[in-house]
Amino acid sequence: MNSSSRLNIERVVTFEGARQIVLDQARQVHGDMSGREEEVPLLESLGRTLAKDIHADRDFPPFPRATRDGYAVRSEDVSQPPVELNLIGEVRAGGSLPEGFGELSSGQAIAIMTGAPVPAGSDAVVMVEHTERHGNSVCLLRSAQAGENVVVQGSEGVAGSVLISSGTLMGAAQIALAAAVGKARVRVQRRPVVAILSTGDEVVPISAMPASNQIRNSNSFSLVAQVIAAGGEPRQLPIAPDEPNRLRELIAEGLESDLLLLSGGVSAGEYDLVEPALSEFSAEFFFTGVQMQPGKPLVFGRATAKSGRRTYFFGLPGNPISTMVTFRLFANIIVAALCGNRQETTRFLQARLAADLKTKTGLTRFLPARLIGDLFQPEVELVKWQGSGDMASFARADCLLVVPPDQEQFHAGETVSVFCI
């Protein structure tokens, strides 16, 4: 591709502009999720997106439930403590009320354990810490309001109500709730297949001993790990050489997946062949660069596979850190959308800067950093690194410090944005 034809597709946008473009495309993905469902055993739904609402098969809780060990009472009986009440029995979690019991009467109390059903006639539980037991009676040392330490029947969900909505990402809490309503199998969105293609004559398999001018294919493996973490099913393609015909063949193969990730070959060099090759598949380029560091030569678009399907693609920068950062900030959004996940995947947090920082303006910068400090005063400190090829330093980071494009000086103690990786 000559320089004039390249300018026809060149579109460099701000970080926020690029993020909004990707989010807009993700919403289109959400609107076309038909035919992507499958039923799996409950435990296999972990990390998957629910495709069908899960309903309560009975009231939750199915009875008024005690939330503390203590004594079930009528609140009006203990309005003026201390009060001595007759102890007429005990009920444990999973147990039943005394035989023949109908309703708690005035002047009576029942010993009750956490999780047990609160007997009819009572409307509060006084914690055992506020009582003194005297044989067959109990002295209540404090008052209790109606409803205190009691979860009302059906307050968590009445029979037939939606407990987990379609589109929810299934984690441990959701699996526990599904198990509680007897869902041994659930319907989820299938995992999208994400093709991963590393490019460049300098890239060799990780099992090879690289020459002095070569590097091992680490990007492919970092992307596999990130795709799995995002809920996708990675498909590693062979390394694409700097040879147009072979590159086109591998791109054609990758476009038959749900998403194609290309690593390297997207800057403006003479041997950067990815964008010209993509153009031969009727590619629509949403942007061809982002005003950020690392990751400026990032390409996002959609192309037509030989089967006729329209497939999203990202042309990720070849530097290892740039590849990982741009996936996490952008490609992860599309993978999540293809998984059916509607939850925000790029959350930015706030922390105090541990030391002064001076940088250049013009680009949104993402600097490897670590969160330190305590529970109530989190701080962030930079990790010393040598640029976007320094994998060793990046491996010691747990977040990215976000530097806005219009500020060059920051002082220790200032609140800054961070992005957990």
Side-chain angles (χ1 to χ4, degrees):
M1 175 181 288
N2 59 41
S3 59
S4 62
S5 59
R6 182 183 175 83
L7 289 173
N8 289 334
I9 63 169
E10 188 169 11
R11 184 185 179 193
V12 179
V13 296
T14 65
F15 167 73
E16 291 182 348
R19 186 168 179 269
Q20 189 57 56
I21 289 170
V22 174
L23 288 171
D24 289 344
Q25 294 302 315
R27 279 189 281 273
Q28 293 190 32
V29 172
H30 287 309
D32 185 24
M33 293 299 293
S34 59
R36 299 175 61 91
E37 303 174 9
E38 62 180 351
E39 187 174 86
V40 298
L42 178 58
L43 286 177
E44 291 184 18
S45 71
L46 180 64
R48 308 281 292 273
T49 303
L50 193 66
K52 184 179 180 181
D53 293 345
I54 292 179
H55 298 81
D57 63 340
R58 56 177 180 167
D59 288 347
F60 273 81
F63 48 75
R65 185 181 69 226
T67 63
R68 296 288 189 274
D69 292 345
Y71 294 89
V73 299
R74 295 158 53 102
S75 58
E76 61 189 40
D77 284 349
V78 295
S79 59
Q80 296 181 330
V83 177
E84 192 88 11
L85 299 178
N86 294 325
L87 190 57
I88 64 169
E90 177 183 273
V91 59
R92 297 172 294 172
S96 57
L97 293 165
E99 186 176 351
F101 175 82
E103 183 174 304
L104 195 71
S105 300
S106 180
Q108 296 179 331
I110 288 181
I112 195 167
M113 308 303 170
T114 301
V118 176
S122 62
D123 61 0
V125 172
V126 177
M127 294 170 60
V128 69
E129 293 91 329
H130 305 304
T131 67
E132 293 178 354
R133 187 163 178 170
H134 305 138
N136 292 327
S137 66
V138 60
C139 181
L140 289 304
L141 304 176
R142 56 152 290 180
S143 63
Q145 301 296 317
E148 188 170 338
N149 299 321
V150 175
V151 177
V152 177
Q153 178 177 338
S155 59
E156 298 169 4
V158 298
S161 65
V162 175
L163 294 181
I164 312 176
S165 299
S166 172
T168 299
L169 190 66
M170 295 293 286
Q174 290 75 27
I175 286 176
L177 185 54
V181 300
K183 298 296 289 186
R185 298 179 66 86
V186 295
R187 292 198 68 79
V188 294
Q189 299 291 348
R190 72 169 179 84
R191 297 185 188 278
V193 177
V194 181
I196 296 168
L197 176 59
S198 291
T199 69
D201 287 341
E202 75 279 13
V203 182
V204 299
I206 65 168
S207 57
M209 177 57 69
S212 59
N213 62 338
Q214 294 178 319
I215 57 173
R216 292 189 175 97
N217 186 18
S218 64
N219 283 351
S220 180
F221 283 81
S222 70
L223 288 173
V224 165
Q226 289 183 299
V227 167
I228 292 172
E233 181 180 319
R235 180 186 174 204
Q236 285 177 291
L237 298 176
I239 298 169
D242 291 328
E243 195 281 305
N245 291 333
R246 181 57 176 153
L247 178 60
R248 281 195 297 271
E249 290 175 0
L250 289 169
I251 287 177
E253 187 176 348
L255 288 174
E256 297 297 342
S257 301
D258 296 302
L259 173 66
L260 171 60
L261 303 177
L262 303 106
S263 171
V266 291
S267 63
E270 181 180 354
Y271 293 101
D272 293 330
L273 307 174
V274 168
E275 288 180 33
L278 286 166
S279 297
E280 297 185 29
F281 294 89
S282 302
E284 173 188 8
F285 291 88
F286 301 121
F287 55 77
T288 60
V290 182
Q291 294 169 0
M292 62 179 287
Q293 186 185 46
K296 188 176 181 180
L298 173 67
V299 175
F300 175 47
R302 192 165 46 188
T304 303
K306 288 185 177 180
S307 63
R309 66 185 295 167
R310 291 287 284 172
T311 302
Y312 287 103
F313 62 82
F314 282 93
L316 306 173
N319 282 330
I321 312 309
S322 299
T323 298
M324 287 184 273
V325 169
T326 51
F327 177 93
R328 188 66 183 86
L329 290 169
F330 297 103
N332 190 80
I333 296 172
I334 297 297
V335 176
L338 290 167
C339 290
N341 181 10
R342 297 176 182 271
Q343 299 177 26
E344 177 59 74
T345 61
T346 50
R347 292 189 176 93
F348 296 88
L349 310 176
Q350 300 287 302
R352 292 182 179 180
L353 192 60
D356 291 350
L357 169 64
K358 187 172 183 179
T359 185
K360 298 178 180 179
T361 58
L363 300 174
T364 303
R365 302 180 193 277
F366 296 85
L367 307 178
R370 292 191 308 163
L371 285 171
I372 58 173
D374 58 27
L375 176 64
F376 299 106
Q377 290 188 327
E379 291 185 319
V380 59
E381 65 176 7
L382 291 177
V383 171
K384 292 182 180 179
W385 71 319
Q386 305 301 316
S388 56
D390 188 352
M391 289 184 284
S393 294
F394 192 75
R396 292 191 289 272
D398 59 18
C399 66
L400 298 169
L401 191 158
V402 186
V403 180
D406 56 356
Q407 187 173 351
E408 64 178 359
Q409 185 72 46
F410 299 82
H411 300 287
E414 283 190 54
T415 299
V416 294
S417 292
V418 297
F419 179 71
C420 292
I421 53 177

